[in-house]
Amino acid sequence: RRRREDAGGDEGEAGGGAPGGERRRRRRREGDDEGALAAGAPPAGDPGPFAGAPAPSGASSADGAAAPAAAAASSGFLGGLPSGLTQEEHELGEAVLSFLRDWSGDSAPNMVHLGGDARVREFKAAALPTAVSLKAWLKQRFSGRVEVRGQSIVAL
């Protein structure tokens, strides 16, 4: 696209009248960080449009602390629970066992299948904080009733 400024234009703007259809590059403004702009990064001092936005799920922060932090949150929460299952955990466990009984696939269901079940999701939300994975709960709190083999879940 061609953009024209007011009558005189700006000599650094795209020059539609250049021979061979070539366009002139806009002159570098004083203070621009040419390398960062070329790489698509915001100029120095500009935090960009995503400043302060949370990292995508599963993404690690610049210091790589996201995964260890999530594991610490899981173990911290699960370690603070009483030795027996809470009422909410019993309900979650029953939803998991019901799902496994009703499973009709050719192979054992995996964590994606289990986590996709509406009842399991509902009871997980009631029993566990979002930072605690269903897999961690199954391994630490429900291991007497199910076995987690990689991503597959098998009732015992």
Side-chain angles (χ1 to χ4, degrees), residues 50 52-62 66:
F50 301 109
S57 177
S60 65
S61 62

Side-chain angles (χ1 to χ4, degrees), residues 8-9 16 22 26 29 31 43 54-55 57 66 72 74 77 79 82 84 86 91 106 117 124-125 137 154:
E22 293 178 17
R26 189 175 0 170
R29 292 184 190 144
S57 177
S74 277
F77 174 80
T86 65
E91 292 168 353
D106 293 335
D117 183 74
K124 179 194 180 290
W137 180 80
V154 180

Side-chain angles (χ1 to χ4, degrees), residues 5-146:
E5 296 293 323
D6 292 333
D10 184 270
E11 67 182 51
E13 289 294 310
E22 293 178 17
R23 294 179 172 215
R24 289 187 220 150
R25 291 186 173 206
R26 189 175 0 170
R27 284 189 177 174
R28 180 176 171 216
R29 292 184 190 144
E30 192 174 327
D32 280 353
D33 183 355
E34 194 171 16
L37 290 175
D46 180 0
F50 301 109
S57 177
S60 65
S61 62
D63 62 355
S74 277
S75 63
F77 174 80
L78 295 172
L81 291 173
S83 59
L85 296 177
T86 65
Q87 180 62 37
E88 291 84 4
E89 287 180 294
H90 277 290
E91 292 168 353
L92 173 57
E94 286 305 314
V96 168
L97 293 173
S98 175
F99 171 84
L100 293 174
R101 276 192 302 271
D102 296 343
W103 178 253
S104 60
D106 293 335
S107 59
N110 62 35
M111 293 303 300
V112 173
H113 298 125
L114 184 62
D117 183 74
R119 280 193 70 225
V120 171
R121 280 195 319 267
E122 176 186 342
F123 286 110
K124 179 194 180 290
L128 307 172
T130 56
V132 177
S133 72
L134 183 57
K135 185 175 184 177
W137 180 80
L138 290 169
K139 286 180 154 187
Q140 293 182 36
R141 301 281 292 170
F142 210 60
S143 60
R145 305 291 304 269
V146 300

